[in-house]
Amino acid sequence: MKLLRTSVSLVVFLLLLTPTVILAQATTGTITGTVTSEGAALPGVAVTVESPALQGSRSAMTGEAGGYNIPALPPGRYTVTFSLAGMQTIRKSVSLGVAQTSRTDVELRVAAVEEALTVTATAPAAAEVTEVSTNFTSTTINELPVGRNIDDTVRLAPGVTEAGPNDQITISGANSFDNLFLVNGVVVNENLRGQPNALYIEDAIQESTIMSAGISAEFGRFTGGVVSTITKSGGNEFTGSLRDSLTNPDWAEKTAYINAIQPIDDINSAYEGTLGGRIIRDRLWFFAAGRFQEREEPRQTNQTLIPYVFSSEDRRYEGKLTAQLARNHSVIGSFIKSDEDRDNYITSGRVIDLRSLTTYERPKSLESLHYTGVITNNFLLEGQFARMQDEFTSGAESRDPIEGTMLLDSVTGNRMWSPTFCGTPCPAKERDNKSWLAKGSYFLSTRATGNHSFVSGYEEFHQLRNENNYQSGSDFRIHGNIRVINGEVFFGVDPLESEIEYDPVPALSRTSDFAVRSVFLNDKWDFNQHLNFNVGLRYDQAFGTDQAGNKTVDDSAISPRLAAQYDLRANGRHRFSATYGRYVSKVDQGPADNTATAGRYASYYWDYKGPEINPAGTLPGQMVPIRDVINQVFTWFNSVGGTRNTEFLTSAHVPGVTTRFDGSLHAPYMDEWTAGYSMTLGTAGYIRGDFINRNWADFYVVRRTLETGTATDPNGTRFDQGVIENASSDLSRKYNAIQLQGSYRPFKDVTFGGNYTWSKLRGNVEGEAASFATVLTDFNNYPEYTGFERNNPDGYLGADMRHRANIWLQYDLPTPVGRFNFSLLETYHSALAYSATATIDVRRGAANGPADGIVNPGYASAPTTVNYFFSDRGEFRVDDITATDLGINWYSPTFGGVGFFVEADVLNLFNEQGVEDPDFVEKGVLTRRQTTCLQGSGAAGSPRCVPFNPFTTDPVEGLHYQRSSRARGSLFDFGEPSSDLAYQTPRTYRVSFGLKF
């Protein structure tokens, strides 16, 4: 009750500072600054901003401390006019980015006669603020040889890598699911993995801002970074574009992978069109855009190398209206829709046959309504309602026990026979969100305390998930031995290592709703011309119910955000900054929904103890057909009781039975310290460097001990029950980095730009994996079996990347036939890490366990296997990666207002062939659990590997374990690429052409 009263009091206090209306966040920017005369603050100066991006103009008056603040401005190029009777009028040209603050300070002089001086602002926003951020306009992205999508734009920023599972984006050391992606202020993160949905049309993007550290209290529900993208709006003048982007699989070189497939010669087009203009001048604007793409590309199955053609069709539409309802009151309504279909699609994992391919359908949409109201020159209200809808269907098309059962290889994990998940026979999966946001801004300028830009707001965000997560068509998977002989695929089972897996969904989802209510207060305080501060506080109240309707989240947290900046000479040339912030994430779907008895699947594993079928050495003509193998496995399984069998049951996860919550789950958090320095280089550019230290805590864990007790499933089987909770003790994830960025324009037509990041990411909490969006870390989970050092050691985490650099050079060449633009982009990143791990059996008396193994101290179902690191965490590395990309662009003179363009790129100009992605490198380790683990050289007749007790024995390679090798029957040696996807993008050509008006 005390916490509740405190929470309510804080909410009421903050809401008293501003009326509760709805707000737009991260779609606009702010122009602020100080006006002086002969070094003294100058009050009463009229400041007016005008821009083609703004309906009408906005004005403010400098206060007693000479300060002014004009928030909620759409991004664009502005003319800022400063005027006061008897003083010189100054007009200053300034660029304003989305989610950025641009400082525009001026000094006025007494003028004997009326005169005006026009100057250009010098420092970009990245050099002026304590926040570590980078902004890219569509013009820059179009001219550089990079993809025009959000993912490729974000990768150009410092602190960003694609080192997450499945090449997902990470920002400043956080998990890839823990960033905040916004399009027109709407959260577009996919609910489970947190990656940005492609709810945009590339030619409609105006610009993107990437914030990687020192982020204000206005943003929450993340511990990584914030990416805000805004699309174009209409204007008083009619503008538009048409574009055709051409790619061809045959325009890309083959990788160095030994089994690389021959590309097909097929030109794929992506058509885009935009149109914007006025309906009523300065009162009502419109913008519309569309995109259509059909694509085909050659692919091949894993191991069997069967070629096939993957095809997709993507249709996207956007509409936007910008209306000035009355003077200083405007509304923006935005709608974006995407329909994507794929054929010959792999839902998950490495498949080796064409039967495992399926179709994929995914309709998505984004809607937002944004209000801005200027109440007085110093008081402004904003608002936004938004929602994203995301639905998809993909998987097996049969629920039949034979046709819909997926088969997996026990050693490699390769899968075959039936697609993962369940397609149209099962309900579509829905992952949506909706939000209401409200904000008020007030500017106060006094001689005693300087200039204060207060922002206070309220936000409510809901993640909604209705997902009946069937893992296969029949709910069964069989783990055995996939054998490929002369290109023909066979499947066998062995009573020493095969398993039957059953993944039923006990009840249909009732839709989970995990939400966060937040209030925040932030003061950007200019104390004097040298010193300014940012003082912010955010309060988040998390609550929610899982897919069965059970309340699993009820928590709150406070996040301080503090910053200070010192301007050495009060002229913006040299600035020093320091920040501290706590960032509290949202509670993620995976952990919070883990115990749901609806929507989620249960998992049961039984040892197969029936007859051996298709053993090694069986001739192809004597092999039992796959349908008959599956039928014989089920015949044996049903003969011993089927899913009610307890004799051969080895492990299970049953939502609400094998795990529980003892209290409310709360969100992990991260503490951050930064120190930075920036310097402007006259009117030509800037450089900035920041040191960043981050430390995460309150990880999602599962704790299972003798004290946590047992529970019984509906079949009467008793299980050890684990507790899902948060923990920090003996767990770590730490990030230290130096991020450098800058740009320089030595000549009118030449621009240098780029960034460099040095970083270390260490700890023992990965937190995610290729197959699971959020991984629960084992924390005292069967400690009698897992409490040895090499079960979860400290070391370099999978997303650790020591060095990353992006350097570009652009040259404009005006000619009578148009403007040519040449750009070079040099990228480098150091090698990613991986480890040698495997599962071992530590049970005393087990067939694959050591004689001195662990005696069950009293568990209902002791673990059959545990994880073991046979190397240091992150001991092995793939290659350092370098690439040179070339862009050649031509923009014609305009004819009747219409100009033509051609934009051509050559990626990886020198066709470097580094191994980049450890997800597609052979990392297999064989132990006693595999019959193919033989001692010594592994020659025929060699004895099988010896089991060992990890608490008492340091394993020896060649005796206790073997790394994968061709000599031992593996397709690849340990550390060797197992797919062409392991390699960096080979030399690739692409071209776009069209017209703009």
Side-chain angles (χ1 to χ4, degrees):
M1 288 299 295
K2 181 178 180 182
L3 177 61
L4 178 61
R5 288 194 300 270
T6 302
S7 303
V8 172
S9 298
L10 181 59
V11 171
V12 171
F13 169 73
L14 291 177
L15 292 181
L16 285 174
L17 299 177
T18 178
T20 306
V21 290
I22 317 174
L23 95 95
Q25 189 170 335
T27 61
T28 59
T30 299
I31 295 178
T32 190
T34 304
V35 181
T36 58
S37 180
E38 297 181 351
L42 187 61
V45 177
V47 184
T48 303
V49 297
E50 297 174 290
S51 172
L54 181 68
Q55 290 179 332
S57 62
R58 291 268 302 278
S59 299
M61 195 77 69
T62 59
E64 292 181 5
Y68 70 94
N69 191 71
I70 307 178
L73 295 172
R77 192 74 182 174
Y78 281 81
T79 298
V80 187
T81 303
F82 303 86
S83 59
L84 179 65
M87 307 295 289
Q88 178 189 46
T89 296
I90 291 183
R91 296 186 182 90
K92 206 165 189 178
S93 178
V94 59
S95 290
L96 180 63
V98 61
Q100 291 195 315
T101 296
S102 181
R103 287 198 66 88
T104 306
D105 300 327
V106 298
E107 181 165 355
L108 299 186
R109 296 179 300 174
V110 175
V113 295
E114 183 177 349
E115 58 177 330
L117 177 66
T118 301
V119 295
T120 300
T122 56
E128 296 177 330
V129 295
T130 56
E131 182 179 81
V132 183
S133 65
T134 309
N135 177 267
F136 294 102
T137 65
S138 60
T139 299
T140 299
I141 295 302
N142 285 345
E143 293 179 351
L144 288 175
V146 297
R148 295 179 299 117
N149 54 64
I150 290 177
D151 299 59
D152 285 352
T153 299
V154 171
R155 292 186 185 106
L156 277 181
V160 176
T161 77
E162 62 270 50
N166 307 309
D167 296 331
Q168 293 166 183
I169 292 170
T170 73
I171 300 179
S172 294
N175 286 120
S176 65
F177 58 75
D178 216 6
N179 303 307
L180 185 63
F181 289 91
L182 305 164
V183 173
N184 292 338
V186 183
V187 176
V188 294
N189 295 68
E190 189 273 334
N191 277 3
L192 211 58
R193 294 188 176 274
Q195 298 306 289
N197 274 318
L199 279 165
Y200 54 83
I201 295 158
E202 287 88 338
D203 258 8
I205 292 176
Q206 181 172 328
E207 60 184 80
S208 297
T209 293
I210 302 97
M211 294 167 265
S212 58
I215 303 169
S216 83
E218 295 180 54
F219 298 93
R221 306 188 309 276
F222 70 96
T223 67
V226 178
V227 179
S228 181
T229 297
I230 189 170
T231 62
K232 298 174 182 177
S233 299
N236 284 328
E237 305 301 323
F238 290 94
T239 59
S241 64
L242 292 173
R243 177 190 294 266
D244 185 6
S245 298
L246 303 178
T247 58
N248 188 331
D250 197 41
W251 295 351
E253 302 287 342
K254 292 171 64 175
T255 67
Y257 178 55
I258 188 172
N259 295 316
I261 193 170
Q262 184 64 39
I264 61 174
D265 185 4
D266 182 37
I267 294 179
N268 299 310
S269 287
Y271 303 103
E272 297 175 66
T274 68
L275 178 64
R278 67 181 184 273
I279 298 174
I280 304 174
R281 180 178 292 273
D282 282 336
R283 295 296 299 272
L284 184 60
W285 297 345
F286 77 91
F287 179 79
R291 181 184 189 273
F292 176 74
Q293 179 181 29
E294 286 184 320
R295 182 164 57 101
E296 291 186 344
E297 60 183 66
R299 294 185 179 178
Q300 61 186 7
T301 57
N302 193 57
Q303 185 177 345
T304 52
L305 308 178
I306 303 171
Y308 65 93
V309 176
F310 166 81
S311 62
S312 66
E313 186 175 290
D314 191 3
R315 303 169 298 280
R316 304 181 200 172
Y317 317 93
E318 177 178 4
K320 183 186 287 189
L321 287 175
T322 304
Q324 188 166 138
L325 304 179
R327 180 173 174 79
N328 294 331
H329 294 271
S330 63
V331 172
I332 299 175
S334 177
F335 174 77
I336 302 175
K337 182 173 177 58
S338 168
D339 288 309
E340 184 180 10
D341 300 322
R342 301 177 187 176
D343 197 20
N344 285 339
Y345 175 71
I346 296 176
T347 53
S348 182
R350 300 179 182 182
V351 305
I352 69 164
D353 63 345
L354 300 183
R355 282 182 56 104
S356 298
L357 307 179
T358 186
T359 58
Y360 173 95
E361 297 178 358
R362 191 165 195 168
K364 303 184 289 285
S365 65
L366 171 158
E367 303 166 13
S368 67
L369 185 65
H370 167 202
Y371 162 79
T372 302
V374 181
I375 309 305
T376 70
N377 282 344
N378 292 334
F379 183 42
L380 178 140
L381 297 175
E382 292 181 82
Q384 182 160 300
F385 164 77
R387 70 175 179 178
M388 182 192 72
Q389 295 179 297
D390 180 8
E391 177 181 302
F392 67 96
T393 302
S394 185
E397 293 301 316
S398 174
R399 300 285 283 164
D400 181 77
I402 302 296
E403 302 300 325
T405 293
M406 190 171 69
L407 308 178
L408 295 97
D409 188 87
S410 299
V411 176
T412 66
N414 290 342
R415 53 189 67 188
M416 61 173 289
W417 190 253
S418 181
T420 310
F421 309 130
C422 180
T424 54
C426 300
K429 298 176 173 65
E430 299 175 19
R431 300 174 182 174
D432 307 332
N433 71 54
K434 59 182 178 181
S435 60
W436 301 266
L437 305 111
K439 182 170 75 172
S441 303
Y442 183 74
F443 182 71
L444 176 67
S445 179
T446 69
R447 293 187 183 276
T449 63
N451 301 311
H452 297 265
S453 299
F454 294 104
V455 175
S456 176
Y458 169 83
E459 177 180 6
E460 183 166 325
F461 176 77
H462 291 255
Q463 280 192 106
L464 308 170
R465 183 184 180 196
N466 187 304
E467 184 166 344
N468 298 292
N469 197 9
Y470 297 94
Q471 293 297 288
S472 68
S474 69
D475 295 340
F476 281 96
R477 299 178 175 190
I478 300 175
H479 301 253
N481 301 309
I482 295 175
R483 308 191 191 283
V484 181
I485 305 174
N486 298 327
E488 193 172 357
V489 180
F490 302 94
F491 185 76
V493 289
D494 183 335
L496 293 178
E497 57 183 322
S498 295
E499 291 181 307
I500 299 171
E501 177 185 348
Y502 178 50
D503 304 312
V505 174
L508 295 182
S509 171
R510 293 165 53 186
T511 304
S512 65
D513 184 354
F514 296 110
V516 182
R517 292 192 185 104
S518 308
V519 288
F520 58 85
L521 175 65
N522 202 81
D523 177 16
K524 292 185 177 181
W525 174 21
D526 291 341
F527 181 69
N528 55 38
Q529 295 182 45
H530 291 278
L531 194 59
N532 65 77
F533 302 95
N534 187 88
V535 181
L537 186 69
R538 183 180 182 92
Y539 171 80
D540 293 314
Q541 184 182 48
F543 59 99
T545 55
D546 65 19
Q547 292 190 87
N550 302 311
K551 189 172 185 177
T552 59
V553 179
D554 185 7
D555 188 59
S556 62
I558 293 177
S559 308
R561 310 281 176 84
L562 307 173
Q565 185 180 72
Y566 181 72
D567 190 333
L568 183 64
R569 297 174 183 170
N571 60 3
R573 298 293 187 190
H574 303 274
R575 291 185 171 99
F576 299 88
S577 62
T579 74
Y580 164 74
R582 171 164 289 188
Y583 302 81
V584 179
S585 183
K586 63 186 181 304
V587 177
D588 286 290
Q589 289 272 350
D593 202 46
N594 192 276
T595 62
T597 54
R600 288 189 62 88
Y601 63 94
S603 291
Y604 299 86
Y605 292 83
W606 291 269
D607 280 339
Y608 171 75
K609 295 301 180 183
E612 186 173 12
I613 307 174
N614 292 337
T618 305
L619 297 176
Q622 299 173 339
M623 287 284 190
V624 177
I626 293 176
R627 282 185 176 83
D628 292 340
V629 173
I630 300 173
N631 187 59
Q632 290 182 39
V633 170
F634 280 129
T635 298
W636 170 83
F637 184 55
N638 292 330
S639 73
V640 296
T643 58
R644 301 186 68 85
N645 176 276
T646 58
E647 179 182 359
F648 303 119
L649 184 68
T650 58
S651 65
H653 170 76
V654 184
V657 176
T658 55
T659 54
R660 72 172 190 266
F661 293 105
D662 276 352
S664 172
L665 195 67
H666 51 273
Y669 68 88
M670 178 270 293
D671 285 329
E672 173 192 84
W673 297 87
T674 77
Y677 164 74
S678 65
M679 178 177 67
T680 58
L681 307 173
T683 61
Y686 80 101
I687 56 173
R688 173 172 181 155
D690 294 275
F691 170 74
I692 299 169
N693 170 267
R694 289 182 156 194
N695 191 6
W696 282 260
D698 272 2
F699 304 101
Y700 302 120
V701 303
V702 57
R703 175 173 56 88
R704 185 179 282 105
T705 68
L706 291 171
E707 287 70 36
T708 59
T710 63
T712 304
D713 77 350
N715 291 331
T717 306
R718 190 166 63 97
F719 294 99
D720 303 299
Q721 194 170 59
V723 178
I724 299 174
E725 57 192 13
N726 300 89
S728 300
S729 177
D730 297 324
L731 301 174
S732 68
R733 185 182 182 98
K734 297 180 179 180
Y735 176 81
N736 287 290
I738 296 174
Q739 296 181 9
L740 305 175
Q741 61 176 302
S743 65
Y744 186 61
R745 197 178 188 96
F747 309 104
K748 177 183 177 183
D749 298 322
V750 177
T751 301
F752 291 97
N755 50 72
Y756 164 76
T757 302
W758 173 93
S759 64
K760 279 188 177 182
L761 180 64
R762 288 183 60 87
N764 60 2
V765 178
E766 294 286 359
E768 58 185 337
S771 301
F772 298 95
T774 310
V775 175
L776 293 172
T777 301
D778 288 339
F779 178 73
N780 282 335
N781 191 33
Y782 294 111
E784 296 86 355
Y785 292 85
T786 62
F788 54 90
E789 181 181 358
R790 287 199 169 270
N791 178 254
N792 190 34
D794 281 342
Y796 291 110
L797 299 176
D800 175 68
M801 185 180 286
R802 189 73 63 254
H803 308 279
R804 185 177 181 91
N806 302 293
I807 308 294
W808 57 85
L809 168 66
Q810 292 180 277
Y811 173 59
D812 278 331
L813 178 63
T815 73
V817 296
R819 177 175 69 91
F820 288 88
N821 172 269
F822 304 92
S823 60
L824 276 175
L825 172 64
E826 185 71 20
T827 58
Y828 165 79
H829 71 75
S830 54
L832 290 172
Y834 61 97
S835 312
T837 65
T839 57
I840 60 173
D841 194 335
V842 297
R843 297 171 297 166
R844 179 177 294 182
N848 295 318
D852 62 343
I854 308 302
V855 176
N856 187 348
Y859 289 108
S861 51
T864 59
T865 60
V866 297
N867 193 53
Y868 191 94
F869 275 75
F870 289 93
S871 70
D872 292 338
R873 186 187 288 272
E875 177 178 331
F876 303 102
R877 299 270 175 171
V878 288
D879 297 333
D880 294 345
I881 300 297
T882 59
T884 303
D885 302 330
L886 172 67
I888 302 175
N889 311 302
W890 171 71
Y891 304 94
S892 77
T894 58
F895 302 94
V898 178
F900 297 89
F901 68 88
V902 178
E903 296 170 350
D905 297 334
V906 184
L907 308 180
N908 195 359
L909 180 64
F910 302 112
N911 198 31
E912 300 182 65
Q913 293 278 315
V915 177
E916 183 174 23
D917 192 344
D919 286 345
F920 299 95
V921 166
E922 177 59 51
K923 300 186 288 293
V925 176
L926 305 177
T927 69
R928 170 75 180 188
R929 295 188 64 241
Q930 286 80 43
T931 57
T932 53
C933 185
L934 304 177
Q935 295 181 39
S937 63
S942 298
R944 194 169 169 186
C945 292
V946 177
F948 66 97
N949 186 332
F951 289 90
T952 60
T953 304
D954 290 329
V956 177
E957 186 170 6
L959 177 64
H960 300 102
Y961 72 97
Q962 295 282 9
R963 287 187 283 180
S964 298
S965 68
R966 297 174 191 267
R968 292 174 177 81
S970 298
L971 293 175
F972 306 97
D973 291 333
F974 185 89
E976 188 178 18
S978 59
S979 166
D980 61 346
L981 298 176
Y983 291 85
Q984 69 183 109
T985 302
R987 181 166 52 230
T988 302
Y989 301 89
R990 63 189 182 196
V991 62
S992 293
F993 64 92
L995 57 87
K996 297 180 180 179
F997 59 90

